[in-house]
Amino acid sequence: MKRRKFLASGVTLAIGGTAPIIAVKAAETENSKKAVLTVAHITDVHIRPEDNIPARAIEWLKVVKGYKPDFYLNGGDSIHDASYDEVSRERTIEQWEVWDQFRAEIQDAKVYSCIGNHDPWWDVPSKKDEMYGKPYVVKRLGMPAPYYSFNEKGWHFIILDGNHEGISLGEEQMKWLENDLGNLQPNTPTLVMSHFPITSITDALVGGQHSDHKELKTLFYKHKDKVRVCLSGHQHLLDRAWYNDVHYFCNGALSGFWWGDGDEQSAGKQYYLETPPGFAILKLYADGTVENEYIPMV
């Protein structure tokens, strides 16, 4: 079996001061080969109009843009929340309006999104309402469907929707995923993104992992020549796991402690537990190796 080395290192970057980059390099590149793709993974923006959050979020997005990614992966929970009871139409719309302001900062860039659990509006007078549920989120985020795939420079990307019973794909989507992977050429490097972690350490701390993770693990092993990395958010925590040569990265949250200062369990201002707000930059290589750097913003 081909063995891969893990390399974790910390360096510094000036972001209005000196802030550490948490660098998690999932595959050590032993020569000077060049990545075929640089991708920004931003998740759990939780944008809303209060507390100057739109302006704060846009300033941080400018930092992300400075890394000049080829495109952006948006991991869901784009807006703060429309999912709880008694959220009004007006409240839902105003959150999406400030998301549009945020998105306008990178209006010329490609952004591939997935649906977070807080994005859909459920407390609607009628299920026939055009704003009800996931179809409206798909429309607002410019997604082709609730789940889909695409190709970029030799890599295959799969965007999943875990918003089914028990945090799962459901039968129809699981069959679609099986077919999507089965139709790929052998050794096609593949990245999978879901809002919820598929396999994680953070599940032991806060829950929230896919309930169908065993089925997904088995499927990924069947296609072990293809599936290289899985990205997630949801937890607002930073972790990595490695199993069957698949790297699982839970990449924190741009909003950190939901744009608040934190609580008694926060390791620092705006931290959720020990994780600061931030985003990840991934370097993807033609041979399927990947580097994942988490850049904290405080």
Side-chain angles (χ1 to χ4, degrees), residues 71 74 141 173 204 249 257 279:
F71 58 86
N74 167 35
L141 291 176
Q173 186 178 179
F249 294 107
F257 195 84
F279 61 93

Side-chain angles (χ1 to χ4, degrees), residues 257 262-267 273:
F257 195 84
D263 61 14
E264 67 280 358
Q265 297 185 69
S266 298
L273 301 182

Side-chain angles (χ1 to χ4, degrees), residues 21-132:
I21 294 179
I22 301 172
V24 181
K25 294 189 176 182
E28 184 180 359
T29 55
E30 297 177 349
N31 54 42
S32 59
K33 64 184 178 183
K34 184 178 180 181
V36 295
L37 285 169
T38 298
V39 179
H41 180 216
I42 301 174
T43 188
D44 294 81
V45 177
H46 283 280
I47 204 163
R48 59 186 187 275
E50 297 83 19
D51 302 319
N52 199 35
I53 290 170
R56 293 160 63 191
I58 288 169
E59 284 305 304
W60 284 4
L61 184 58
K62 290 178 181 178
V63 175
V64 185
K65 189 166 66 171
Y67 284 83
K68 298 182 179 180
D70 293 292
F71 58 86
Y72 297 76
L73 293 174
N74 167 35
D77 283 357
S78 302
I79 62 171
H80 184 59
D81 181 74
S83 66
Y84 290 129
D85 292 342
E86 300 181 1
V87 176
S88 69
R89 181 185 304 274
E90 291 72 25
R91 176 60 174 170
T92 302
I93 290 174
E94 69 179 4
Q95 291 179 83
W96 282 115
E97 286 176 344
V98 291
W99 169 263
D100 291 341
Q101 296 173 27
F102 178 80
R103 177 67 176 86
E105 179 62 33
I106 51 172
Q107 60 182 344
D108 296 328
K110 291 185 286 188
V111 178
Y112 299 100
S113 299
C114 67
I115 302 172
N117 55 299
H118 288 289
D119 293 326
W121 186 37
W122 300 115
D123 193 14
V124 184
S126 170
K127 292 182 179 181
K128 295 181 180 180
D129 194 300
E130 67 173 2
M131 288 180 61
Y132 175 73

Side-chain angles (χ1 to χ4, degrees), residues 149 156 158 173-188 190 192 218-227:
S149 64
H156 187 65
I158 298 173
Q173 186 178 179
M174 185 66 80
K175 289 181 179 178
W176 172 87
L177 178 59
E178 292 171 357
N179 290 332
D180 189 79
L181 287 170
N183 289 331
L184 293 176
Q185 292 295 316
N187 301 306
T188 302
T190 299
V192 178
T218 300
L219 178 61
F220 294 165
Y221 188 72
K222 179 180 178 181
H223 296 281
K224 58 183 180 292
D225 62 317
K226 302 166 188 171
V227 181

Side-chain angles (χ1 to χ4, degrees), residues 4 26 155 188-192 223-230 242 244-249 287-290:
R4 297 172 183 268
W155 273 74
T188 302
T190 299
L191 180 150
V192 178
H223 296 281
K224 58 183 180 292
D225 62 317
K226 302 166 188 171
V227 181
R228 300 267 52 86
V229 58
C230 294
W242 181 74
N244 289 340
D245 213 19
V246 179
H247 302 288
Y248 297 86
F249 294 107
D287 65 356
T289 56
V290 58

